[in-house]
């Protein structure tokens, strides 16, 4: 015979079937329409009633059917976001700030990442669009022909952030990375450095190749050689930075300074120099684009041109909310560009 407590545990076991809206309404002692209203537009329901319904939802483990809600209301509160990577600092900073703002305003973010595999960019985008989002945000994308072809067939606002803008997006939010590298090169030249190299990643992107052009232009304007560069189409890593500076110093032991396209590369360069007992900046100056708070804590602290991706995200969220809530001009009549300036921060490394 089974012990009594076995029977008690069996009776308390939850139903494994899907909990419905009607189940929540019955548990809370209200009508189904009231529950639906509390979940979709909580501001229209009293605090006491909303708390009662939320307790029922939590107790029963109810998961709202978003697809059904979209069909019923004709409106989606989902924002699709296509990013190149979940690992790099720029993508993480942008995504975190975007989610914080949108989630506070009852929008959900659906994320897709192609991990810098450009052939997958269109495939991931198509998957994101299957969720019938209210808007699309593309961050740091290459915007291949297949992606642009897909965008022509959607009727939602599309914001292009830190990516190429060879398409009539609703809004382009960008920063001039090429100008930032040109500034960094001239800054090093003014400090007396002449043999200046460049290490860059993700060179399949035209925006990243603009960095190389900015470095080249600054050196040539001073009648100096622009030969010491090492680039890759792949993601920026510390390991690439270590390998690249090793190769560059083998080519030109007299190298005086190096500009890195990403903070991760610059950190790899610094660590390799420390391993080789190369003093920074006395023996080699190191600067980078896309610096973050990490630049403040590394030793020596890293001179950088910092781009505020969190601020870009907040502006993106603000504009999306205004379009989707109807408080700003119809997005269909807009093709706009906003340029966020980079911020130069001189530190110990150069």
């Amino acid at each position: 015979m089974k012990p009594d407590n076995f029977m008690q545990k069996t009776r308390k076991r939850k139903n494994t079937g899907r909990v419905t809206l009607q189940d929540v309404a019955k548990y809370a002692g209200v009508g189904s329409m009231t529950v639906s209203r509390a979940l979709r537009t909580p501001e229209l329901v009293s605090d006491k009633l909303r708390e009662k319904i939320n307790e029922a939802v939590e107790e029963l483990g109810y998961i709202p059917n978003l697809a059904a809600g979209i069909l019923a209301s004709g409106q989606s509160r989902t924002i699709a976001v296509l990013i190149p990577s979940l690992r790099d600092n720029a993508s993480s900073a942008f995504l975190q700030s975007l989610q914080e703002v949108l989630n506070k305003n009852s929008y959900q973010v659906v994320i897709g990442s192609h991990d810098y595999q450009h052939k997958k960019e269109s495939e991931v985008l198509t998957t994101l669009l299957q969720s019938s989002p209210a808007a699309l945000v593309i961050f740091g994308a290459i915007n291949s022909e297949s992606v642009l072809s897909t965008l022509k067939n959607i009727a939602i606002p599309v914001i292009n952030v830190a990516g190429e803008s060879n398409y009539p997006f609703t809004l382009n939010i960008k920063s001039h990375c090429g100008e930032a590298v040109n500034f960094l090169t001239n800054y090093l030249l003014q400090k007396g450095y002449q043999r200046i190299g460049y290490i860059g990643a993700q060179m399949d992107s035209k925006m990243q190749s603009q960095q190389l052009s900015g470095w080249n232009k600054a050196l040539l304007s001073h009648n100096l050689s622009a030969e010491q560069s090492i680039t890759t189409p792949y993601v920026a890593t510390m390991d690439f930075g270590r390998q690249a500076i090793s190769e560059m110093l083998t080519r030109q032991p007299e190298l005086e300074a190096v500009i890195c396209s990403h903070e991760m590369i610059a950190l790899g360069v610094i660590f390799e120099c420390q391993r080789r007992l190369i003093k920074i900046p006395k023996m080699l100056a190191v600067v980078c684009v896309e610096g973050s708070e990490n630049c403040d804590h590394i030793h020596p602290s890293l001179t950088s041109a910092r781009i505020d991706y969190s601020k870009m995200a907040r502006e993106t969220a603000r504009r999306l909310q205004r379009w989707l809530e109807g408080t700003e001009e119809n997005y269909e009549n807009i093709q706009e560009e906003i340029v966020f300036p980079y911020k130069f921060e001189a530190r110990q490394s150069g």
Side-chain angles (χ1 to χ4, degrees):
M1 180 179 292
K2 301 290 185 180
D4 290 342
N5 64 350
F6 176 86
M7 296 302 294
Q8 290 173 357
K9 289 181 179 179
T10 301
R11 284 196 295 269
K12 289 182 179 180
R13 192 172 293 162
K14 287 186 177 180
N15 188 342
T16 57
R18 181 180 178 88
V19 178
T20 67
L21 188 75
Q22 288 73 26
D23 294 330
V24 175
K26 184 177 180 180
Y27 190 96
V30 299
S32 298
M33 290 298 295
T34 302
V35 175
S36 178
R37 187 182 303 112
L39 296 177
R40 290 189 291 109
T41 53
E43 68 278 4
L44 300 181
V45 179
S46 69
D47 292 343
K48 185 177 181 180
L49 189 55
R50 187 168 62 245
E51 183 178 344
K52 188 176 183 180
I53 292 171
N54 286 339
E55 287 178 358
V57 168
E58 184 176 349
E59 179 64 25
L60 296 176
Y62 174 64
I63 301 175
N65 188 335
L66 293 179
I70 292 170
L71 289 173
S73 65
Q75 294 181 331
S76 169
R77 298 193 72 82
T78 298
I79 307 299
V81 183
L82 178 64
I83 60 174
S85 172
L86 289 167
R87 295 174 295 171
D88 64 51
N89 291 336
S91 295
S92 298
F94 177 84
L95 191 57
Q96 180 176 347
S97 295
L98 184 71
Q99 283 185 304
E100 286 176 357
V101 178
L102 291 176
N103 288 348
K104 287 179 182 177
N105 292 277
S106 301
Y107 285 97
Q108 298 298 318
V109 175
V110 179
I111 305 162
S113 171
H114 51 78
D115 288 325
Y116 293 100
Q117 298 179 43
H118 303 149
K119 292 181 180 179
K120 288 185 61 179
E121 187 181 31
S122 179
E123 176 186 333
V124 175
L125 174 60
T126 300
T127 301
L128 284 174
L129 294 175
Q130 289 173 357
S131 65
S132 300
L136 171 66
V137 178
I138 302 178
F139 179 80
I142 305 302
N143 295 324
S144 61
E145 288 300 322
S146 56
V147 166
L148 299 181
S149 177
T150 301
L151 294 178
K152 292 176 183 178
N153 300 315
I154 62 174
I156 57 175
V158 181
I159 298 184
N160 182 45
V161 184
E164 297 175 35
S165 55
N166 54 341
Y167 177 83
F169 292 98
T170 311
L171 175 65
N172 283 296
I173 298 179
K174 59 194 295 187
S175 183
H176 292 309
C177 292
E179 291 182 9
V181 171
N182 187 271
F183 176 87
L184 288 173
T185 310
N186 280 303
Y187 165 78
L188 291 171
L189 289 167
Q190 290 170 10
K191 295 195 74 172
Y193 300 103
Q194 292 191 335
R195 301 180 182 89
I196 304 172
Y198 174 84
I199 301 174
Q202 300 158 26
M203 284 299 151
D204 279 2
S205 165
K206 288 182 180 178
M207 291 197 68
Q208 293 296 341
S209 64
Q210 287 172 5
Q211 290 195 26
L212 188 62
S213 176
W215 164 78
N216 195 299
K217 183 178 178 181
L219 288 179
L220 293 179
S221 68
H222 286 76
N223 297 315
L224 295 172
S225 171
E227 295 179 354
Q228 293 303 324
S229 66
I230 296 177
T231 63
T232 178
Y234 303 112
V235 65
T237 64
M238 284 191 282
D239 189 54
F240 172 66
R242 300 182 76 147
Q243 293 178 17
I245 193 62
S246 295
E247 181 179 338
M248 195 170 282
L249 289 171
T250 299
R251 292 182 188 174
Q252 187 177 24
E254 303 85 9
L255 188 72
E256 297 173 339
V258 63
I259 299 171
C260 303
S261 66
H262 295 77
E263 179 186 87
M264 292 297 288
I265 294 175
L267 293 178
V269 169
I270 290 175
F271 294 151
E272 180 61 20
C273 287
Q274 291 174 341
R275 189 184 72 82
R276 292 169 173 243
L277 303 181
I278 296 174
K279 295 181 180 179
I280 298 174
K282 185 176 181 180
M283 300 171 67
L284 182 72
V286 182
V287 302
C288 77
V289 186
E290 299 195 5
S292 72
E293 64 277 2
N294 292 332
C295 295
D296 304 321
H297 304 297
I298 188 72
H299 182 75
S301 56
L302 181 57
T303 295
S304 68
R306 184 174 296 191
I307 300 169
D308 196 338
Y309 290 110
S310 293
K311 190 174 182 180
M312 286 185 177
R314 291 190 293 271
E315 177 63 19
T316 298
R318 184 182 71 84
R319 297 299 291 270
L320 282 174
Q321 288 175 235
R322 290 189 176 186
W323 287 331
L324 299 178
E325 303 297 339
T327 59
E328 192 169 276
E329 182 183 1
N330 192 319
Y331 70 86
E332 294 177 350
N333 302 320
I334 297 175
Q335 287 181 21
E336 188 179 348
E337 181 174 287
I338 300 175
V339 179
F340 278 75
Y342 59 86
K343 180 182 179 181
F344 173 67
E345 297 179 332
R347 295 187 183 83
Q348 298 170 341
S349 69

